[in-house]
Amino acid sequence: MMSSVTNLLLYTSTAAACYIAVPALAKLYRNKVLVPKFSAVQDLEEVGKARKKAKLKGQVVVCGGSVAGLLAAAIAYEHYESVLIIEAEEGLVKNGSSFPSEDKIRITPEGIPTHVNPRSRVMQYTSTHAFMPVCFRTLRRLFPSYYEEVAKLGLKEYIHKPDFHLAGILLQGIFDEGVDSTILYITRETFEILVRRLVMKDMPGIRFVDGTVTGIQRSPDGKSIDELYWRASRGASQTIPVPKLVIDATGTSQAGLKWLNKAGFTIPATLRIQYQVPLHYVTTLLRVPAHLRQELPLEERWEDTYSIYTYLPDLTKETGFFTFFVLEQNKILICCGGWGDLPRPHSIDEIREYILQIRPQKPINPRVFELLDFFEEHISELNPSYDDASMNTCSYVQYHQLAEGALPQNFVAMGDSVMQLNPIFGQGITKAAVDALTLDSTLRETDESNASSLPSRFFNRLAGRHEFGWNSNKDSDYGLSFTTPIDGEDLSVGWFSRWYGGYVMKLALKDRKLMGKSTRRTQGSKALDGIPPSPKPPPSNIDESNLLPYDSVIEEESRPAKRQRISEIEVERQINSSVAEDEADTTSDSDESMKDLETSMVLSLDSSKTNIRSGPLRSGPLPSIQEAFDATGLVHYYTHKSQVPKHLQKYFAQRYRYFSLYDNGCLLDEEGWYSVTPEGIANQIAERCRCETILDAFCGVGGNAIAFAKTCERVIALDTSPTRLALARHNAVIYGVADRIEFILCDYISFARSYREKLQRSTAAASGSVSKRPIDVVFLSPPWGGPEYISGSPNEPVNGNGESLLTSEYSLSSVKPIHGMELFNLTRQNISHNIAFFLPRNTSLQEIGSLVKDGYEKTEIEEEWMGDKLKALTCYFGGLVTGQEEMF
């Protein structure tokens, strides 16, 4: 009995101890391990305080004077004897701390008023930026004159309570009560001016010079940077000997990588990872005169208004957002944009159209439209400007993965020089502040005895703090099918966080108590808290041959029709499908953009069975622009629907699908408008056709040739039209790939018939160029017979919209300039067995199956989808077919 009581007391006391100890240990672990690793919040307590150790000797050189560079210099000033900022933009050193008395506006060739950007290296300088409270907390602690300078600039702090609406539903409780969430509602330009003024006033020992860093010299022992080379804006090259610390703050150019490699430091190319996601938004600024401010239809007085309305998309259904803010007490900012191909409004009327195309769960506040009506009525007094910003690449230089000693002992990088995030999430400036706080906490532990380990300690500490921003942005962007993932990854990465975040957000939209917690903690953006990442089901190990083609894309009942059974090929089951709409749908820009999720379906056809597998289409990388090869003048370049002939307007509405860089000057002739392959599909085909040399037999205006140049070493592009060849070359230059494409004015039929003879002759002579570079793959995208191809036959009856009145299949006999089967055989016999044949979506599968011998080899037919519309078929033969690689 006594033993039982003793045991009971022992168990009870143990349980009580655990009840007390476990939460205490968990809290200790959180505060001592997790918070310092993943957050810089604890570093805020020390920033701005006097350094306890003696200042480090020598000069710090900060390469770049934008926000990250200014904050880095301010931190370095507290820890080193001397700090120099080399500012690449001429004039900002002299005039960059003055608040502009008036905005400088220029008129584009299209007649759009836009800002003159004083910082040409920062694409989004004049566009919308989101500022988190941590940015201003850092400024207040770092600079004693913060409030004085804010007052001088006529600015006002507000409690940051943004009026966010997810799919039209108000998000509440984004910030906990009692948390310091005061910020300034200002433009990116004003924020940088404020920071520069604070640096110049509170840290007068920091020197500024105009110039550009051109390189570094490695020390004789290979451990550090011995010299830094720079060129003054108006002067000769100069040298800075033995800098104590070099800080790369060059932004998205990430110039530090180039300097290190050129100087002989071993930096592997895989250190920098990147993914592509197309982003675009337009920032409208309206300058509101004093006499109009009280007339505005606002819910509060002008003086008390800052966040008017922000619409955030449910990324499972749409990708566009818009926001209205009052800035700097005299401006109203409107921003419209998002992911993918969206309208780009450059007038109040176009903004209204953009908002009207949104399909919210709850109606948008009517006050938004009242404001637009007011703006339109008084537009002549508001002096509007419209600033476009586009981005495709998010990148991360993983310096923390280098072994200690691989980097120079006196080199660090900050801001976009290390990581470039999706700007829509609004974390760029916050990231610069976090980097500055991390540098401060690392330098507080640094003295002359351990200075050589500064880079590794700094980057290792920074890695955990970057991890959340990088992974949360990436996981969210991977939920969109047009994202091109990091090499070695696919879009299934991050599926659980997207699913979980989406699930929690759905609950939050129904539960007001959960709303505040979910909008603060759901995976995703800190700037746009509340955007639910697109949910994606977990990957499975199900045999792909047992999958129906639309199981993960769209419910079977939504398909209006089914494909007929292919009588000549034994099929294990019937394939549900649809008779897709016209190739060039008359749907408007805005309606199309809501559906622009691309999915490919692949059928592997052989004489025994049909296997089906699905996967996301991927957009390829967008290289930089090369030296101009201008074909402007050969055809008209349309910038507005009103300029376009009526019969081409439905194609113009999809221009960004054809060329995502259309606004950079891409050109199409009339045939090109209805025959060019959409860029997303072209990139998908190019990935499948990756090889040394590929022949684009009918290149047109270059859509496919440009995509091939991203995956192949050499592209031969043929066309019979000198105009289309010139346009293709022009477009290739815009995409930065013209040097890998050989454009030839040639008839493909003649080329193919003479190719084998020339190949044999050159092989025998062992001197011809053809033998050195044989063609590995041929891409056939012959003319289909014009827009009427959808009818299946030129003689088939159509309605007034060009839609077939019959359900006939497209026959290979309709292919131009010769029968499709003859074209295929000519290619196979004379050039290569590896063929990608691009055909109309309603092409007879029986005819495609008859192109190869029964039982001898397989054919893969890839259905090219954009949203819920089947656009075309790509048929792969030879070594391009999965499982037949030995035939390549």
Side-chain angles (χ1 to χ4, degrees), residues 350-582:
E350 290 179 0
I351 292 172
R352 183 187 292 107
E353 291 181 9
Y354 173 92
I355 295 174
L356 286 172
Q357 56 89 32
I358 289 173
R359 301 291 183 265
Q361 293 184 30
K362 286 193 174 182
I364 294 169
N365 190 332
R367 200 171 300 275
V368 169
F369 299 101
E370 293 175 18
L371 280 167
L372 290 174
D373 292 340
F374 182 90
F375 298 152
E376 202 163 42
E377 180 182 353
H378 300 278
I379 194 67
S380 61
E381 299 181 78
L382 298 176
N383 190 24
S385 62
Y386 307 91
D387 297 307
D388 286 69
S390 299
M391 199 191 93
N392 291 280
T393 301
C394 299
S395 63
Y396 185 13
V397 184
Q398 299 173 300
Y399 284 115
H400 62 281
Q401 292 190 354
L402 292 174
E404 187 169 351
L407 282 173
Q409 297 174 353
N410 55 345
F411 173 86
V412 297
M414 294 179 57
D416 286 345
S417 296
V418 179
M419 180 192 293
Q420 185 179 13
L421 295 171
N422 182 336
I424 291 180
F425 291 138
Q427 294 172 312
I429 301 296
T430 301
K431 175 167 56 68
V434 169
D435 292 1
L437 293 171
T438 304
L439 180 63
D440 182 71
S441 62
T442 308
L443 287 174
R444 290 183 182 278
E445 302 169 355
T446 303
D447 54 28
E448 298 295 346
S449 66
N450 65 352
S452 61
S453 65
L454 172 63
S456 61
R457 287 185 290 115
F458 170 72
F459 285 121
N460 286 334
R461 180 172 295 181
L462 197 60
R465 299 171 180 191
H466 279 172
E467 182 179 334
F468 174 80
W470 175 255
N471 287 333
S472 62
N473 277 225
K474 179 167 69 75
D475 289 351
S476 186
D477 289 336
Y478 273 24
L480 302 170
S481 64
F482 44 71
T483 298
T484 302
I486 297 167
D487 289 344
E489 293 186 355
D490 59 44
L491 296 182
S492 66
V493 172
W495 68 266
F496 180 79
S497 63
R498 288 192 293 276
W499 171 84
Y500 179 76
Y503 179 76
V504 171
M505 188 54 61
K506 288 179 181 178
L507 293 178
L509 292 177
K510 299 177 182 179
D511 187 336
R512 292 289 180 178
K513 293 181 179 179
L514 185 59
M515 176 70 75
K517 296 179 181 180
S518 64
T519 54
R520 289 193 296 272
R521 297 169 186 166
T522 297
Q523 173 272 330
S525 158
K526 285 188 177 180
L528 300 183
D529 275 336
I531 291 184
S534 303
K536 183 169 183 171
S540 72
N541 296 319
I542 298 174
D543 182 359
E544 292 176 347
S545 64
N546 294 325
L547 294 177
L548 289 176
Y550 306 116
D551 281 352
S552 61
V553 182
I554 193 167
E555 294 181 359
E556 177 183 349
E557 287 75 18
S558 66
R559 297 291 179 179
K562 297 181 178 180
R563 279 192 187 275
Q564 296 180 353
R565 181 178 294 274
I566 306 172
S567 58
E568 302 299 321
I569 301 176
E570 182 181 352
V571 181
E572 294 181 348
R573 59 189 175 277
Q574 187 168 359
I575 302 173
N576 297 325
S577 183
S578 66
V579 178
E581 300 176 18
D582 188 4

Side-chain angles (χ1 to χ4, degrees), residues 22 345 427 527 548 598 698 770 776:
V22 170
Q427 294 172 312
L548 289 176
E598 307 166 358
F698 306 89
V770 179
D776 301 306

Side-chain angles (χ1 to χ4, degrees), residues 287-342:
R287 291 89 180 157
V288 184
H291 69 278
L292 290 180
R293 294 171 194 168
Q294 301 307 325
E295 297 181 24
L296 281 163
L298 299 172
E299 294 181 357
E300 297 178 305
R301 296 187 313 154
W302 170 269
E303 293 79 7
D304 300 324
T305 301
Y306 44 95
S307 178
I308 299 175
Y309 191 93
T310 296
Y311 180 89
L312 306 175
D314 176 350
L315 287 178
T316 64
K317 299 176 182 177
E318 58 185 347
T319 61
F321 73 90
F322 70 87
T323 186
F324 284 58
F325 281 103
V326 172
L327 299 178
E328 299 165 16
Q329 302 187 58
N330 67 342
K331 300 182 181 76
I332 284 184
L333 176 147
I334 306 172
C335 183
C336 302
W339 294 256
D341 180 15
L342 296 173

Side-chain angles (χ1 to χ4, degrees), residues 843-859:
T843 302
S844 167
L845 298 184
Q846 182 178 352
E847 290 189 13
I848 295 173
S850 67
L851 290 175
V852 296
K853 298 178 181 178
D854 290 342
Y856 175 67
E857 64 179 280
K858 294 190 298 182
T859 299

Side-chain angles (χ1 to χ4, degrees), residues 55 92 146 149 205 236 558 579 697 794 842 852:
K55 279 196 173 186
L92 283 179
Y146 169 79
E149 290 301 316
S558 66
V579 178
N842 57 332
V852 296

Side-chain angles (χ1 to χ4, degrees), residues 30 36 49 113 119 162 166 187 191 195 211 231 291 293-294 303 390 466 472 496 532 561 663 696 711 744 751 812 879:
R30 181 194 66 183
K49 293 182 180 180
R119 188 173 279 289
L166 174 62
T187 62
F191 183 83
V195 177
R231 184 178 61 253
H291 69 278
R293 294 171 194 168
Q294 301 307 325
E303 293 79 7
S390 299
H466 279 172
S472 62
F496 180 79
D663 286 349
D696 185 351
T711 62
I744 302 175
F751 178 92
L812 292 178

Side-chain angles (χ1 to χ4, degrees), residues 146-167:
Y146 169 79
Y147 289 106
E148 178 186 346
E149 290 301 316
V150 166
K152 285 183 179 179
L153 292 175
L155 304 176
K156 178 182 177 181
E157 282 194 337
Y158 295 91
I159 301 297
H160 188 41
K161 293 183 179 179
D163 196 11
F164 285 170
H165 296 75
L166 174 62

